[in-house]
């Protein structure tokens, strides 16, 4: 099994694969894995006090600028899946890694990269603002 080392800033959520996420073969449609990444990333950020609502209140937006997802095994209807999200970088960009598994078997893994953007001017910020870095202070961001 592909296993990334534990990270100090991580969150795991579990869910039962619902009917509306599967195709006629009762296999999760590949595009739904991106939804699972989004839900896990939002939960991770919220856990550390810098969820999307907080980012918006700070005048910030964080669009996805890069994503990679590798599939190893399909999830099926009613599988209980675990999505582990962990922070890899947060100085110049937010990079979050992911592992999606079922019964301890890796099904997919990858990462997303988000850039900080000023919500009013729409200008790209070359560094993650301190207000966001402070959410992770003492862990990964220095």
């Amino acid at each position: 099994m592909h296993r990334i080392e534990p990270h100090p800033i991580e969150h795991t959520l579990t869910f039962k694969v619902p009917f509306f996420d599967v195709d006629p073969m009762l296999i999760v449609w590949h595009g739904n894995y991106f939804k699972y990444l989004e839900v896990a990333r939002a939960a991770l950020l919220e856990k550390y006090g810098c969820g999307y609502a907080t980012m918006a209140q700070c005048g910030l937006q964080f669009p996805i600028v890069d994503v990679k997802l590798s599939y190893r095994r399909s999830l099926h209807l009613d599988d209980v899946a675990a999505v582990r999200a962990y922070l890899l970088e947060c100085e110049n960009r937010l990079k979050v890694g992911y592992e999606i598994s079922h019964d301890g078997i890796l099904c997919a893994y990858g990462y997303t990269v988000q850039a900080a953007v000023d919500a009013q001017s729409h200008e790209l910020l070359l560094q993650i603002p301190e207000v966001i870095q402070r959410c992770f202070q003492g862990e990964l961001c220095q």
Side-chain angles (χ1 to χ4, degrees):
M1 179 173 143
H2 171 89
R3 176 73 178 163
I4 305 294
E5 292 299 315
H7 289 272
I9 300 173
E10 68 174 61
H11 182 72
T12 301
L13 63 89
T14 58
F15 65 96
K16 187 175 178 180
V17 173
F19 177 74
F20 55 79
D21 278 358
V22 299
D23 64 17
M25 297 178 291
L26 302 180
I27 295 171
V28 171
W29 176 67
H30 69 278
N32 282 323
Y33 288 79
F34 292 98
K35 175 176 65 175
Y36 304 155
L37 302 187
E38 177 70 27
V39 173
R41 182 177 59 256
L44 171 72
L45 295 173
E46 192 65 39
K47 177 180 177 179
Y48 288 92
C50 59
Y52 289 114
T54 300
M55 292 177 180
Q57 289 171 356
C58 294
L60 300 168
Q61 298 172 336
F62 280 83
I64 299 286
V65 296
D66 190 17
V67 63
K68 175 164 178 42
L69 188 60
S70 297
Y71 301 93
R72 291 278 179 97
R73 179 184 179 276
S74 297
L75 288 171
H76 298 83
L77 178 65
D78 293 335
D79 281 352
V80 176
V83 183
R84 179 176 169 252
Y86 46 93
L87 190 66
L88 294 170
E89 297 177 35
C90 66
E91 187 176 332
N92 298 317
R93 61 189 186 166
L94 287 180
K95 185 174 183 179
V96 178
Y98 307 91
E99 293 176 334
I100 301 174
S101 60
H102 167 63
D103 284 342
I105 298 169
L106 185 68
C107 298
Y109 64 95
Y111 64 84
T112 56
V113 176
Q114 294 172 266
V117 174
D118 182 287
Q120 189 169 19
S121 68
H122 301 289
E123 289 185 34
L124 176 67
L125 304 176
L126 300 179
Q127 200 171 24
I128 300 299
E130 278 189 47
V131 67
I132 301 302
Q133 288 192 27
R134 279 195 304 262
C135 293
F136 307 110
Q137 209 68 33
E139 298 288 342
L140 187 62
C141 298
Q142 313 259 329

